[in-house]
Amino acid sequence: MRRLFSILFFAGLTVGAVLLFRFTLQEALIDVDIEELARYNAPQSVSDTSKGQKLPLRADTEKTADQEPPQKIDTPTQETTPTFTQTKITDTKKEVNSPPPLTRPSLSATGALTVPGVVAVTNAERTAQGLSSLTLNTKLSNAAAAKLADMFAKQYFAHVGPDGTQPSYWVESAGYIYRLTGENLALGDFSGDTDLVTAWMNSPGHRANILKPEYTEIGVAVGKGMYDGRETWLAVQIFGKPLPNCSLPNKDTQALIATNQQTIKDRQAELTAQKEALDASEPKQGSAYKEKVDIYNALVAEYNTLIGETELLVSEYNVEVSGYNACIEG
């Protein structure tokens, strides 16, 4: 019995020792885990070996006003004053063809001259050459009649009057707006309308007027009266090509283009001066510098916009000019 009690006593001591050892080991492990966690969560520092200083693990990303980067400066679209090519308006040239007047010696037997007959024979000569017939125009006929009356009244036989009156004067006074005009004169005795036109056709200058393809209208005047002390015939042919009713290019657009071109030139000078000031400015940062850059960039935007608008105006104006020129030439 005593032996059994001893065995149980020693067995209890052994179990107790084992339990005490396990508890102590667990406490030690827990302490180690806590220390390790604390160490890994602690803020870390990196040594700057060159200066022997410690730097923070995360750099401060906040920037001060003095650390602002330089401001971007826009560049003008055009570095030099742009050139806008404008189409030239065709000159409404008023050509006057006046060959030397034709004089026919007096004939023993003469016939009469008529306006319808002269027009008919003239058109027959044109159609024989494959040209279109001329249309009798009242204003041109009035101009021819006025010229004929003036020659009889002032006793001259020439394209230019004694007072310097030009052939175009009679045409314009009659209200005929022309692109081209020409005048044929004849003085003397003729057997009839065919004889008169044939005489003109035998004269190179008069023939050129009669067969000029560009002419579309004609005016004629014939009359018998006293000239240089004897009774004789005078005949006047006036040819014409009327000026088409063409719309002139918009003058306001042309004026605006000129104004814009001057403004562009002025803005370019301002931009050059401001850019030079910015280049010389120090430091190239901060609020004052930024304000100057903003002003410069706003002027650049205005400059480039004006160039674009002017290019569009020039394009529109050139279309109008081209249309007008085509109309005039037509």
Side-chain angles (χ1 to χ4, degrees), residues 62-73:
E62 184 178 356
K63 297 178 181 177
T64 64
D66 291 337
Q67 293 174 325
E68 292 181 359
Q71 300 297 311
K72 179 182 178 182
I73 299 177

Side-chain angles (χ1 to χ4, degrees), residues 41 45 60 79 95-96 105 124-125 134 219 226 239 244 262 309:
N41 286 334
S45 296
D60 185 4
E79 295 184 357
E95 180 181 340
V96 179
E125 294 288 353
L134 301 173
M226 295 300 297
F239 305 91
Q262 183 59 50
E309 292 174 350

Side-chain angles (χ1 to χ4, degrees), residues 113 148 151 184-187 196 200 221-223 233-237:
L113 299 178
L148 185 143
M151 287 192 293
N184 281 351
L185 301 179
L187 170 68
L196 169 62
W200 273 330
V222 295
W233 284 91
L234 273 177
V236 179
Q237 267 187 331

Side-chain angles (χ1 to χ4, degrees), residues 95 97 99 118-134 180-184 197-218 237-240:
E95 180 181 340
N97 298 300
V118 172
V119 173
V121 178
T122 298
N123 279 333
E125 294 288 353
R126 285 178 63 89
T127 56
Q129 299 297 322
L131 301 173
S132 60
S133 296
L134 301 173
L180 300 172
T181 187
E183 181 180 84
N184 281 351
V197 175
T198 299
W200 273 330
M201 287 294 290
N202 290 333
S203 168
H206 298 88
R207 177 187 178 89
N209 264 347
I210 291 174
L211 299 181
K212 192 173 183 67
E214 290 81 3
Y215 290 143
T216 59
E217 298 177 326
I218 189 174
Q237 267 187 331
I238 297 182
F239 305 91

Side-chain angles (χ1 to χ4, degrees), residues 6-23:
S6 297
I7 292 171
L8 291 174
F9 176 77
F10 284 110
L13 289 176
T14 302
V15 171
V18 171
L19 291 174
L20 179 61
F21 175 77
R22 291 185 63 184
F23 177 78

